[in-house]
Amino acid sequence: RRHWAESTFTSVLPVSAVAIGMKQESWFAHTKAAAELRQSKEYQQSIPHAIEDLSVSLAPDVRTIVFDQRYKEDMGPGNGTYVRGKPVQALGTKGKKPRGLHVFVLVHGFQGQAFDMRLIKNNISLLYPRSVCLCSASNERDTEVDIEKMAANLADEVKDFIKDYCPGPPEPRLGRLSFVAHSIGGLVVRAALPLLE
């Protein structure tokens, strides 16, 4: 987990920022932070991630840097800053052990398919063995339709999955729902969030 944390920057934002696209200043800040991290001596000497397929293990100067955005209703002082190398407490669970099943929804990118997310699914399964992963297949046939249509497809797929795998007592209920998306999948997830309420 420590190696993943070295390449992860986490920011906590208000819920009102969900529908707002990333500003160009944020993109420049992320690019600069990633470049500085890749050039640092500690990062150059870091051990590659322990993953199943070693062919995707990249050199430090081109290794992926993740900018993780989390959203919270009540923004108190100290939020909105990047934290590197330290685990961040899951929102809304401070001091409490989460109950229910943690479902990860993995959403592929443009002209992609569910199989594209298999390495991420494998790593999530290793880190969170009690979680369940849904590799979204609802938009495999056509990723060239509008975002709203793909979002509706994804929302329906997620709702059906939750009904099947987290129906509630006596079966496990839904505890957390997390999304991991690639490329245009991120836009689809953002558009699908309001449809899941």
Side-chain angles (χ1 to χ4, degrees), residues 35-89:
E36 288 173 358
L37 178 63
R38 286 186 181 116
Q39 292 172 2
S40 71
K41 190 176 196 177
E42 297 83 17
Y43 195 74
Q44 290 287 328
Q45 295 173 348
S46 65
I47 300 168
H49 301 309
I51 55 178
E52 290 181 16
D53 186 354
L54 295 178
S55 67
V56 297
S57 183
L58 303 173
D61 58 334
V62 292
R63 197 172 295 153
T64 302
I65 307 294
V66 177
F67 291 91
D68 174 25
Q69 293 178 319
R70 299 174 183 221
Y71 299 92
K72 185 175 180 182
E73 269 308 327
D74 180 27
M75 292 294 293
N79 287 326
T81 56
Y82 292 114
V83 179
R84 181 172 64 86
K86 296 179 184 176
V88 176
Q89 180 75 34

Side-chain angles (χ1 to χ4, degrees), residues 128-195:
Y128 304 99
R130 294 187 176 143
S131 66
V132 176
C133 291
L134 163 63
C135 290
S136 175
S138 61
N139 292 310
E140 280 185 350
R141 294 183 185 269
D142 193 3
T143 58
E144 297 184 22
V145 297
D146 60 67
I147 300 290
E148 289 81 12
K149 173 66 176 151
M150 289 191 289
N153 293 342
L154 176 63
D156 291 342
E157 183 180 24
V158 170
K159 288 176 188 174
D160 290 342
F161 185 85
I162 291 171
K163 283 179 191 171
D164 291 342
Y165 287 90
C166 312
E171 302 295 325
R173 66 178 178 83
L174 178 65
R176 289 188 203 169
L177 182 62
S178 300
F179 290 88
V180 178
H182 170 70
S183 186
I184 198 171
L187 298 176
V188 174
V189 168
R190 281 187 171 200
L193 289 176
L195 305 175

